[in-house]
Structures are given as C-alpha cells and as structure tokens.
Amino acid sequence: MNRILKRSLCLTLGTTLIILLTGLSLSHNALAQTLAPHSTAYGLHGMLLFGNNEGLYASHLPMFHAPHDYQVVLQIRIANQQLHAQIKKDLTQKIRLWTIEPEQFDITGLAPGARPALRQFKVNIVSGHFEQGGKVRYKNITAIVEYTLIFRQLSPEPYQSDTATYRQIGHGSHRFLLKEIDSRPDYDHVLAISVNARSSRQNILIKKSGIREPDPNTLYSALHSINGSDARIEGNVYFDHADLE
C-alpha cells in the first residue's frame, strides 16, 4: 500500500511540476504579447525593400514621432529560398520601388543586443508604396533578420546639418548609398551605385541644400573621390521628404 501511495504521489508531483513549468512558459509569452502593444515603439513599421544578387535590405520609413522615430536598416533573407532568389533577381534586373508592409511589432527589438530580439516577422511585399496604391506581389511571407546595419532613434528637435552623410550598403560591386537622417526637416534617400568591388566602403559626404534632392554632379564628385573615377550612380531607388518635415 505504501509503495502504491509513493508511486502515486511521485506521479502527481511530476505532473504538477510539468504543468507549473508549462504555465510559466505560457505566462512569459502571454506577458510579452500583452506588453508589446503598449510599447511606444509598437506599430506597423513600413519599410523600403531594395537589393540585388548580392543581398536584400529593408529600410524603415521613419518619421519624427513615436512609434516611427527610428532609422533602421536591416539585411534580410526571405525564408523561402526560391522566393528569396527570385526577389533578388527581380531587383537586380531593374531599379524598382518596392516596399514592405509588415505585421505590427516593437521596432526596438531590432536594436543590436535587444532582449528579446526580433529575429523574423511576417510581411507583404508590395510593388510601389504600400500606402500609396502599391500592389501586393507576395503576401504573408517570412522575412528573417540577418544583420541590423543601422539603428538610430531620431530627435524631434529642429536642427539643420550642413553636411549630408551617405552610408555605403553592400560589399560587392553593386552597392547602395543610403542617407543618414540627421536633421529636421530632412529627406530619405537611397541610390544604386556600381563601383570596383575592392573599393572603399567609406561614407560619402556632400554639402547639404536643405531638403532638396542633391545635384547628381555633386554626388558623382564625392563618390569618385572615395571609390574612383569608374564609380557610377545607376539611379534613384527612393527619395522622400514628406514624412520628415
């Protein structure tokens, strides 16, 4: 009888422990889901999608108010390998305006060292601007974050920098210039460039003229000084200042 009682007691305790551990795990996940929508950085964070055969990148379309007051640039991968390859091919063949309409999330989860870190999210990929009549090409697919290349919170205070700084995005011969948002008002600008694959990846600096799009000759001159005379600007991927005034 004692042996049976002991066995029953052990089974009961074991079952209770499993339930408690499961409950703790579920409670943690539920708490995270409950708290996330109340974060000032939680929302639908639309992004510019650009890239080529050498990689795919997503750039958050920022504003100067929460929850969108972050400049964030990611290197991403589409979980479906065939689709990943097809999108890279499409963007290599022609400069296109494609955007990402993602599920809602807390954008601070994309910061380097964030806990918890946001490693992937569901997206619709849109031909054109997702808020301006764009057409959904791929729906509810998984985007995986490979690297966070830029993560900066924007200041809402009026300020005007005299210099525009363009980061070089990419490592090969086909790269992109992406402007740092460093003023208010400001503009969001991404260009496709071709350079020698071994050339420098230094930032490109030019004199700034308010929120006007830079003169191509000014950009060419600055690009040549860093990447050599054979460097070329292939075209504009995106330019906008309406959301950054």
Side-chain angles (χ1 to χ4, degrees), residues 80-236:
N80 182 308
Q81 294 183 4
Q82 289 184 333
L83 187 55
H84 179 75
Q86 182 61 51
I87 291 172
K88 288 198 301 180
K89 180 180 178 181
D90 288 343
L91 293 176
T92 299
Q93 289 176 341
K94 181 181 178 181
I95 296 175
R96 310 167 190 263
L97 173 59
W98 281 13
T99 54
I100 288 175
E101 180 185 23
E103 63 180 319
Q104 295 191 55
F105 56 75
D106 183 337
I107 199 169
T108 60
L110 297 171
R115 294 291 184 272
L118 182 61
R119 302 296 187 190
Q120 63 182 47
F121 46 90
K122 293 287 187 179
V123 304
N124 296 332
I125 293 181
V126 179
S127 175
H129 197 296
F130 74 100
E131 290 182 324
Q132 299 173 17
K135 181 180 178 181
V136 175
R137 291 183 62 92
Y138 305 106
K139 190 175 180 64
N140 198 35
I141 63 175
T142 300
I144 298 171
V145 179
E146 295 196 304
Y147 304 102
T148 296
L149 305 177
I150 299 174
F151 188 95
R152 302 170 56 244
Q153 186 167 17
L154 305 180
S155 169
E157 298 301 320
Y159 174 77
Q160 192 59 52
S161 172
D162 295 329
T163 303
T165 300
Y166 284 80
R167 299 270 196 103
Q168 295 199 46
I169 305 295
H171 297 274
S173 58
H174 298 286
R175 304 179 192 172
F176 299 89
L177 294 182
L178 182 143
K179 186 191 169 300
E180 287 187 359
I181 308 300
D182 57 10
S183 302
R184 183 176 189 184
D186 210 343
Y187 58 89
D188 199 355
H189 196 195
V190 180
L191 308 96
I193 62 173
S194 295
V195 298
N196 185 305
R198 296 182 179 179
S199 65
S200 171
R201 295 184 65 249
Q202 279 182 252
N203 293 341
I204 305 295
L205 306 178
I206 63 169
K207 184 175 176 56
K208 194 174 183 182
S209 301
I211 58 174
R212 293 195 301 272
E213 186 171 348
D215 176 69
N217 291 328
T218 301
L219 277 169
Y220 259 115
S221 178
L223 181 63
H224 289 168
S225 70
I226 299 297
N227 295 87
S229 59
D230 57 344
R232 300 193 312 275
I233 296 173
E234 301 294 344
N236 264 344

Side-chain angles (χ1 to χ4, degrees), residues 50-57 75-76 84 88 91 146 176:
F50 60 99
N52 49 41
N53 281 332
E54 296 168 1
L56 289 180
Y57 306 95
Q75 183 169 346
I76 64 169
H84 179 75
K88 288 198 301 180
L91 293 176
E146 295 196 304
F176 299 89

